[in-house]
Amino acid sequence: VTVTRGQTPQAITFAAFPAKTYGDGNFSAGATAGSGQAVTYASDNTAVATIDNTGSIAIKGAGTANITASQAGNANYLAATPVSRALTIAKAILTYTADTTSRNYGAANPTFTGTVSGFKNGDTQASATTGTMAFKSTANATSPLFDASLQRQRYPIYGEGLSTANYTFAQATGNDKALGLKRITVTYTFRQETHAYNGKDNPSFDGFSATFTGMANGQTSDQLIQYSYATTATAASGVGVYPIQLTNINRTVAGYNYDFVAAPSNATALTITKANLTFTAQAATKKYGEANPTFTGTITGFVNNQMVANLSGTPVYSTTATTASGVGSYPITLSGISSSNYTITAASANSTAFSINKNTLTYVADPVSRAFNNANPPLTGTLTGFKGTDNLESATTGTLTFTTTVTPSTPVGTYEITGSGLSSANYDFAQSAANNSAFSIYLSTNGNLSNVALSAGTLSPSFSAGTNNYTATVTTGTPSITVTPTLSDINAKVTVNSNEVVSGNPSVGIPLIIGTNVINVNVTSQSGTITNPYSITVTRLPSDDAEVTSITSSTGTMIPLPGYDYAYIDTVANNVTSVDISTVKHEANATLSVYINNGEVPLTSGTPFNMPLNAGSNVVNVKVIAQDGVTTKYNNVHVVRRYSANNQLKSLAVAGKSISPAFSSAQKNYTLTVDNLTSSIDVVAAIA
């Protein structure tokens, strides 16, 4: 028997989905079929969820997806009616977390930072969001630190700027107080005030004016704070620096946005300066080159009945000038004292309070005197009064000169000598009182000679004013002499052998005899009270001149014999049987003689003597004896009588007989007849 059984119907049991959020894990759909057969699933929005045949749902995004469960049936069961359930995936939450920060009151908000968190399924900001994340705050520059009840305020920082399909955004819990405000510093600076030490209360200083700096939003100190001010300095405070301080400070609400800080300079904003003491030097003077005097002065300007004794140290007055400092003005300075409460200032006049005046150099003329009517002597003198190492060369310029108004004719008396010619930066010049009578004129008592000169000879001894007797020797050829006396005083008078002579001029010629000649020179002083005799004994020596002026013969041809001294020669004809020889002596007092005919015959100068001549050489010697009787010279006189060329006789005779013819020089032959008894005759013949 064939049995056909029909399919059993079945139903799907599929509960509604619980709430799910993006990021939750996979979960099972949980649908079952009445047949116990496996259910198949399908998602109509896989962007939201996917499901596999095991029923495991994977969340893919926020949104809604319909999950349908189906069972197709089999031989035993009919296909089940599909059942759909809506699956809603809520968006996950991303949280903006602001970085906590702070800023100064009144400042613009900084760039806030923070993070976004809460990403699921490996999402990141870059992969899961669009836009630009930013953090902002409702606070602005005017937001206060405190509210009206002085409660401290904090301000939110919130994130924004991002968008995403799978997330919603939330602010972290702390974001509402993530921004804190800080007080800013207002510096109050007191105007620097000063007053001089005077032992009195502080002056008002126009309210110790303070300047507030650093406030924000255009606020002023009056909107922020009420206050008073004070200083620690009192009327008794000495020189120094003192603080000026704010006191009794009351802030407004706005004032709590600030810290009020004193400027460092406030600690020294009040300066009590030294009072001024004035040192006034007592004017002082000295003369150049002298030691400085003791300086003094006064100090004025003390307060609180104080005086020099209240200062430290001992006053010392000094100057830059030294003993050697030149003429001019110099300062007087004060040292050695100090004070914490006073400044000691020199009076302007102190810079020239010490004057060095010129000292005095004195022209001191050397006293001079001269006789009336004489030329002035050279005037000399010295300059006295130099100080230190000064001298004429170093301290003066110009030429030291002494002058007088005295002339040679100025009468006897005393007169002034004046020094001049110099200048100096450090000295004035004065005349010594003695200069008024430094020049004396008198009638001279000088009866001396300053020199004696002779026209011939040499004084012995050499002239000296203290020697009155002299000798001199002159040659015999000095028949006269002049004496030139020179007066020591031109106004004296001098005579030579009683004849007045002008000083420095020769006397008239004084004849000299051979031997001793005494010459008297007498000087009478200008005053007439002194006479001074000088004696000069001049010895005129006898002559030693034994020379002849000439030796001549009557023939006129006598000449000196060449090559010989004191030799003369003359040549005469044969018919000259004698010549007259004339000798002229050179010195009148010499004596002449001639050796002739074997004897010495005296001669007279210029008077000829006859010299017989033989044919041939004839020699005589003329002797000259000088006046001194010692000096003798011999002069050889040589006369050559030529031999005769006449060979004739001038006579021929026979004694007692007569020759025939009678003798004639032209007759050469003669005859003579004698008797037989005559054995000899005497013939006398004379040559021509």
Side-chain angles (χ1 to χ4, degrees):
V1 169
T2 303
V3 179
T4 303
R5 185 183 182 191
Q7 295 169 303
T8 301
Q10 59 175 342
I12 296 174
T13 299
F14 193 2
F17 291 117
K20 292 292 181 180
T21 301
Y22 177 74
D24 287 348
N26 293 348
F27 62 95
S28 177
T32 62
S35 63
Q37 298 295 310
V39 177
T40 59
Y41 298 95
S43 172
D44 68 353
N45 191 351
T46 57
V48 173
T50 63
I51 188 167
D52 61 17
N53 287 327
T54 66
S56 177
I57 298 174
I59 297 172
K60 299 298 183 182
T64 301
N66 290 307
I67 304 299
T68 300
S70 299
Q71 191 354 270
N74 56 20
N76 297 315
Y77 290 93
L78 292 173
T81 301
V83 177
S84 294
R85 295 285 184 260
L87 175 61
T88 300
I89 306 300
K91 291 183 178 182
I93 296 174
L94 291 178
T95 301
Y96 286 111
T97 302
D99 292 333
T100 302
T101 188
S102 64
R103 66 165 171 84
N104 288 337
Y105 167 74
N109 287 334
T111 299
F112 298 119
T113 61
T115 59
V116 61
S117 62
F119 290 103
K120 305 295 183 177
N121 301 329
D123 288 347
T124 65
Q125 182 180 339
S127 65
T129 67
T130 59
T132 301
M133 183 172 62
F135 288 88
K136 296 182 180 180
S137 177
T138 58
N140 58 37
T142 63
S143 298
L145 274 73
F146 294 88
D147 62 14
S149 61
L150 296 181
Q151 296 299 310
R152 187 69 179 261
Q153 300 294 298
R154 291 188 69 85
Y155 293 88
I157 300 174
Y158 59 88
E160 64 178 14
L162 297 177
S163 62
T164 180
N166 296 320
Y167 297 93
T168 60
F169 292 91
Q171 302 294 325
T173 303
N175 283 11
D176 63 339
K177 295 182 180 181
L179 175 61
L181 299 183
K182 297 184 291 186
R183 285 176 174 171
I184 62 174
T185 298
V186 170
T187 302
Y188 60 92
T189 304
F190 281 100
R191 183 180 62 207
Q192 295 292 309
E193 309 287 358
T194 61
H195 79 83
Y197 169 72
N198 56 15
K200 299 178 181 179
D201 289 334
N202 295 319
S204 66
F205 298 120
D206 295 327
F208 284 131
S209 177
T211 300
F212 291 80
T213 58
M215 294 171 291
N217 300 319
Q219 292 173 323
T220 64
S221 62
D222 293 339
Q223 296 171 315
L224 309 177
I225 189 171
Q226 294 178 341
Y227 57 88
S228 302
Y229 34 75
T231 178
T232 59
T234 68
S237 297
V239 169
V241 292
Y242 297 88
I244 300 176
Q245 303 162 329
L246 287 182
T247 60
N248 302 321
I249 298 173
N250 290 310
R251 304 182 194 221
T252 65
V253 172
Y256 281 93
N257 293 322
Y258 300 93
D259 286 323
F260 292 89
V261 177
S265 61
N266 292 359
T268 57
L270 174 61
T271 301
I272 298 179
T273 60
K274 291 184 176 183
N276 189 55
L277 295 179
T278 301
F279 158 59
T280 303
Q282 179 68 42
T285 62
K286 73 161 188 172
K287 289 187 176 182
Y288 168 75
E290 296 176 351
N292 290 341
T294 299
F295 301 115
T296 61
T298 58
I299 301 174
T300 57
F302 288 103
V303 298
N304 296 331
N305 297 317
Q306 292 178 331
M307 60 188 66
V308 174
N310 295 103
L311 303 178
S312 298
T314 302
V316 176
Y317 302 94
S318 59
T319 182
T320 57
T322 66
T323 301
S325 296
V327 168
S329 296
Y330 296 86
I332 297 176
T333 57
L334 173 64
S335 62
I337 55 175
S338 62
S339 172
S340 60
N341 291 324
Y342 293 98
T343 296
I344 303 173
T345 303
S348 59
N350 291 5
S351 62
T352 56
F354 182 37
S355 298
I356 299 180
N357 300 323
K358 288 186 176 183
N359 217 314
T360 301
L361 295 177
T362 302
Y363 288 109
V364 180
D366 293 332
V368 296
S369 61
R370 66 159 174 83
F372 170 72
N373 206 34
N374 278 6
N376 290 341
L379 300 181
T380 59
T382 56
L383 192 64
T384 63
F386 289 108
K387 299 297 181 180
T389 59
D390 286 353
N391 54 43
L392 184 67
E393 290 73 23
S394 65
T396 67
T397 58
T399 303
L400 178 62
T401 304
F402 288 88
T403 59
T404 183
T405 58
V406 171
T407 66
S409 61
T410 300
V412 170
T414 57
Y415 297 91
E416 182 180 14
I417 297 176
T418 302
S420 64
L422 298 177
S423 61
S424 174
N426 293 322
Y427 294 95
D428 287 322
F429 294 87
Q431 304 293 326
S432 169
N435 289 6
N436 291 330
S437 58
F439 198 113
S440 299
I441 300 176
Y442 58 89
L443 292 177
S444 175
T445 58
N446 184 349
N448 294 326
L449 293 176
S450 63
N451 192 34
V452 172
L454 301 177
S455 59
T458 302
L459 283 182
S460 179
S462 296
F463 179 79
S464 171
T467 301
N468 288 64
N469 296 310
Y470 300 90
T471 61
T473 300
V474 299
T475 65
T476 189
T478 307
S480 64
I481 195 170
T482 63
V483 177
T484 301
T486 300
L487 291 167
S488 176
D489 175 13
I490 193 65
N491 295 302
K493 293 182 179 180
V494 60
T495 61
V496 177
N497 284 350
S498 300
N499 294 312
E500 187 170 347
V501 176
V502 176
S503 176
N505 289 277
S507 66
V508 298
I510 301 168
L512 297 178
I513 64 171
I514 300 298
T516 299
N517 299 268
V518 177
I519 302 172
N520 294 310
V521 179
N522 288 298
V523 179
T524 302
S525 68
Q526 184 183 36
S527 65
T529 59
I530 300 296
T531 57
N532 194 5
Y534 292 83
S535 174
I536 304 172
T537 300
V538 180
T539 300
R540 181 181 176 192
L541 296 175
S543 176
D544 61 354
D545 188 350
E547 302 293 329
V548 298
T549 299
S550 63
I551 297 179
T552 60
S553 67
S554 55
T555 63
T557 59
M558 179 74 72
I559 62 174
L561 183 61
Y564 294 91
D565 294 330
Y566 305 106
Y568 301 84
I569 189 167
D570 192 8
T571 300
V572 300
N574 176 260
N575 62 346
V576 179
T577 59
S578 66
V579 293
D580 289 332
I581 302 298
S582 294
T583 301
V584 177
K585 60 187 177 183
H586 184 266
E587 200 279 314
N589 295 305
T591 59
L592 297 175
S593 63
V594 61
Y595 287 92
I596 191 170
N597 296 328
N598 298 320
E600 184 177 359
V601 178
L603 294 179
T604 299
S605 179
T607 299
F609 67 89
N610 184 260
M611 176 179 176
L613 301 176
N614 294 318
S617 178
N618 298 272
V619 177
V620 294
N621 284 308
V622 176
K623 178 180 178 183
V624 183
I625 300 175
Q627 187 179 28
D628 61 11
V630 176
T631 306
T632 302
K633 297 284 179 68
Y634 292 92
N635 298 274
N636 182 269
V637 179
H638 185 197
V639 179
V640 177
R641 180 183 173 194
R642 291 188 178 91
Y643 287 99
S644 175
N646 184 356
N647 58 0
Q648 295 181 354
L649 294 175
K650 70 175 179 178
S651 66
L652 180 64
V654 177
K657 306 295 183 184
S658 296
I659 62 175
S660 177
F663 175 77
S664 169
S665 58
Q667 180 64 41
K668 306 296 185 199
N669 297 311
Y670 296 91
T671 62
L672 176 61
T673 302
V674 295
D675 59 23
N676 187 46
L677 295 178
T678 303
S679 57
S680 64
I681 60 175
D682 294 320
V683 179
V684 177
I687 60 176

